[in-house]
Amino acid sequence: FVALCPLEAAAAPQQEPLCIFGTGDFGRSLGQRLLQAGYKVVYGSRRPQSCGPVPPGTQVMSHMAAAQSASLVFLCIHRENYDFLETLVHQLSGKVLVDVSNNLKKNIYPEANAEYLQKLIPGGHVVKAFNTLSAWALQNGPADASRQVLSESQDFIAYLMYISVATKLGLSVLDRGSLNAARELEDFPLELFPVWRLPLRLTLGLTVSFYTYLFLRDVIYTYVTEGKDISFRIMVSLANKVFPIVSLILLSLCYLPGVIAAFLQLYKGTKYKRFPDWLDRWMLCRKQLGLIALGFACLHVLYTLIIPIRYYVRFKIAESTISKVKMNQTSTFDTSVAWHSDSYLAVGILGFGFYILLGITSLPSVSNALSWREFSFVQSKLGYLTLFLCTLHTYLYGGTRFLRPSTYKWCTPPGYMLCLLLPSVVLALKLLILLPCVDRSLTRIRRGWERNGAGDDSRKALLT
């Protein structure tokens, strides 16, 4: 016998709400995200009647009432406001407490916030999580499903409850161990561009070095030898020489570590030996090097576009035109010069187009939609094509100037010649790797083959 009744009348299990202490930006964003995932949400506040706006569909009550209504509590409050929790030891005992707090500076307190919370509520099950997310990131909702969150906990059951909620929010959880490592997790958001430090320092060093070098060759040399003051070129002309130079060098540095790694694998005859630490760090910051290189390439394009409207250029064109009119002279069209000019411009445009493609595919929202083979094809095959086109663009720009003695001011080569050294070396080494005999050996090594004796050495290295 089956009883037929409307679906609304069927008894549905009552879902226990989730509790959030704190109605600030992060608390409101988290509550909205939990509502979108289908959870009931209650807020605990010091002033339930005047706490400010909260997401529609949520309830606001006192801390004690909110704690009693839920088994999982998100503490979206600062550590300096933890004192009131001592009055809720009984209500929070046995509950899962997710601590999302961060500090303004490192080493302000003797212990981590999560460890301090565990001391305040000995019977609670503390999980350190969500502190690496921002309120803005949570507001993105399900569209930000690829975001990764770091977490730590002493209690396995509490950790499973937290993972269930985080997974339903569309977040990827990465376990960082117990609360003993909570200080490291709390210090993580305080790091200012940790992965970008080496690329930014390298970029700053290259920019300052080449700017100084070109300033001496162009401005100071002209003033000393001819007595002319062309210091106004510092703002546009010199900058438009430095930007492409630094961009091409940084792009070369993106692909040089991969070439070095390939030759190390060929030399050692195995892929199971660790690379040197400096090479590991270099390979981990290739994405940042590439994005900075793309930024400098964009600046070069913008500076090139404003050349026709510069006062100096308009003045020189007008002066040349007037002088030729007065002298009744005409200029003849040189086809070879036109070919040379159009060639290096066309190659530069193609290189910049592939540059943009590399930058777009490095975005998480795009790279997540690509298979590994597709991503590897774009970043490797098209990446080397981009490096080749940009290098060819620079060679075509120089043309036959290297044959002229006037090019070497104070017996020094121009900046574009110096920047061609590194990409030329990278492309030459890549051509060696593409030789059939070398490529065949490298492919076998990367598929697990080892030269006789290499496996024993690698195992010893790993044990060491």
Side-chain angles (χ1 to χ4, degrees):
F1 174 76
V2 179
L4 299 178
C5 61
L7 291 176
E8 296 89 335
Q14 187 70 22
Q15 185 184 34
E16 185 182 68
L18 301 179
C19 175
I20 299 177
F21 280 7
T23 56
D25 293 338
F26 191 90
R28 291 196 301 269
S29 300
L30 178 59
Q32 183 64 43
R33 187 75 175 262
L34 291 171
L35 285 174
Q36 293 172 352
Y39 289 102
K40 291 184 178 180
V41 179
V42 295
Y43 283 95
S45 175
R46 292 172 296 176
R47 299 182 297 273
Q49 306 302 326
S50 59
C51 65
V54 295
T58 61
Q59 290 180 290
V60 184
M61 53 186 71
S62 66
H63 288 122
M64 183 175 295
Q68 291 174 341
S69 66
S71 299
L72 192 149
V73 181
F74 290 93
L75 297 173
C76 303
I77 53 179
H78 297 291
R79 172 172 173 155
E80 52 265 28
N81 299 324
Y82 278 5
D83 295 341
F84 78 94
L85 295 175
E86 293 180 325
T87 63
L88 303 175
V89 173
H90 178 69
Q91 289 77 12
L92 295 177
S93 181
K95 305 293 178 71
V96 178
L97 309 177
V98 182
D99 177 32
V100 305
S101 64
N102 287 315
N103 298 319
L104 294 176
K105 295 180 181 179
K106 295 182 180 180
N107 303 321
I108 297 180
Y109 303 105
E111 71 281 294
N113 296 350
E115 294 176 312
Y116 176 65
L117 178 61
Q118 188 69 76
K119 290 180 181 179
L120 286 178
I121 316 294
H125 308 294
V126 178
V127 178
K128 184 67 185 183
F130 279 74
N131 68 304
T132 56
L133 289 178
S134 64
W136 179 85
L138 284 172
Q139 289 173 2
N140 286 339
D144 196 31
S146 63
R147 184 168 292 276
Q148 187 180 76
V149 289
L150 310 178
S151 57
E152 299 168 339
S153 177
Q154 301 277 102
D155 189 279
F156 181 69
I157 302 300
Y159 190 66
L160 289 180
M161 290 182 62
Y162 155 74
I163 287 181
S164 175
V165 175
T167 304
K168 197 169 181 180
L169 294 182
L171 301 171
S172 175
V173 180
L174 179 62
D175 185 12
R176 295 297 296 270
S178 65
L179 290 183
N180 296 330
R183 179 179 290 278
E184 179 184 354
L185 190 58
E186 291 174 357
D187 288 343
F188 182 78
L190 300 178
E191 297 286 345
L192 185 62
F193 303 114
V195 187
W196 291 79
R197 289 179 181 176
L198 178 59
L200 288 175
R201 289 171 182 170
L202 179 61
T203 303
L204 180 61
L206 288 173
T207 303
V208 172
S209 300
F210 276 100
Y211 213 104
T212 304
Y213 181 77
L214 294 177
F215 175 77
L216 293 174
R217 288 191 78 256
D218 294 353
V219 179
I220 300 300
Y221 175 83
T222 304
Y223 182 78
V224 171
T225 58
E226 302 178 21
K228 293 182 180 179
D229 180 15
I230 59 170
S231 57
F232 62 89
R233 294 193 178 186
I234 293 175
M235 300 303 296
V236 177
S237 297
L238 288 187
N240 200 30
K241 291 182 179 180
V242 173
F243 291 151
I245 289 173
V246 176
S247 177
L248 185 57
I249 293 177
L250 292 178
L251 183 61
S252 304
L253 292 175
C254 291
Y255 293 96
L256 182 57
V259 174
I260 295 175
F263 278 101
L264 283 176
Q265 290 177 338
L266 287 169
Y267 174 74
K268 296 178 180 180
T270 178
K271 71 171 184 178
Y272 298 108
K273 278 192 175 181
R274 286 190 57 187
F275 295 129
D277 291 338
W278 59 267
L279 184 58
D280 279 334
R281 291 194 297 269
W282 189 355
M283 296 182 74
L284 288 175
C285 67
R286 287 181 295 178
K287 178 179 178 180
Q288 288 73 24
L289 287 171
L291 291 176
I292 297 176
L294 175 59
F296 273 72
C298 292
L299 288 175
H300 173 52
V301 171
L302 292 176
Y303 270 64
T304 303
L305 291 176
I306 68 169
I307 287 179
I309 64 174
R310 291 179 60 201
Y311 168 77
Y312 170 73
V313 175
R314 290 187 286 112
F315 176 82
K316 295 296 288 185
I317 293 175
E319 182 184 39
S320 175
T321 303
I322 293 173
S323 63
K324 288 181 178 180
V325 169
K326 289 182 177 179
M327 300 177 63
N328 195 23
Q329 293 180 346
T330 58
S331 300
T332 57
F333 182 79
D334 193 334
T335 306
S336 61
V337 174
W339 265 103
H340 175 260
S341 175
D342 287 359
S343 298
Y344 97 85
L345 288 174
V347 172
I349 292 172
L350 287 175
F352 182 69
F354 283 114
Y355 231 140
I356 295 293
L357 180 60
L358 292 177
I360 292 175
T361 53
S362 67
L363 298 175
S365 58
V366 178
S367 60
N368 290 340
L370 301 175
S371 66
W372 169 246
R373 186 174 182 181
E374 293 168 342
F375 181 79
S376 177
F377 173 80
V378 173
Q379 294 295 326
S380 180
K381 303 296 190 301
L382 295 186
Y384 277 106
L385 178 60
T386 303
L387 179 61
F388 171 74
L389 290 174
C390 293
T391 306
L392 180 59
H393 168 70
T394 309
Y395 271 110
L396 292 175
Y397 167 78
T400 58
R401 296 180 190 177
F402 70 95
L403 299 175
R404 306 172 191 171
S406 60
T407 301
Y408 303 92
K409 301 174 182 178
W410 280 334
C411 300
T412 58
Y416 76 88
M417 284 189 184
L418 294 177
C419 80
L420 284 171
L421 295 175
L422 187 60
S424 300
V425 170
V426 174
L427 291 173
L429 293 176
K430 183 61 178 179
L431 286 176
L432 287 177
I433 294 176
L434 291 178
L435 293 175
C437 56
V438 179
D439 181 65
R440 193 181 307 113
S441 300
L442 185 61
T443 302
R444 291 179 64 195
I445 290 173
R446 289 177 173 175
R447 291 178 65 87
W449 177 84
E450 294 181 279
R451 192 185 303 127
N452 293 336
D456 297 334
D457 294 339
S458 64
R459 279 187 283 274
K460 291 178 182 179
L462 288 175
L463 290 174
T464 304

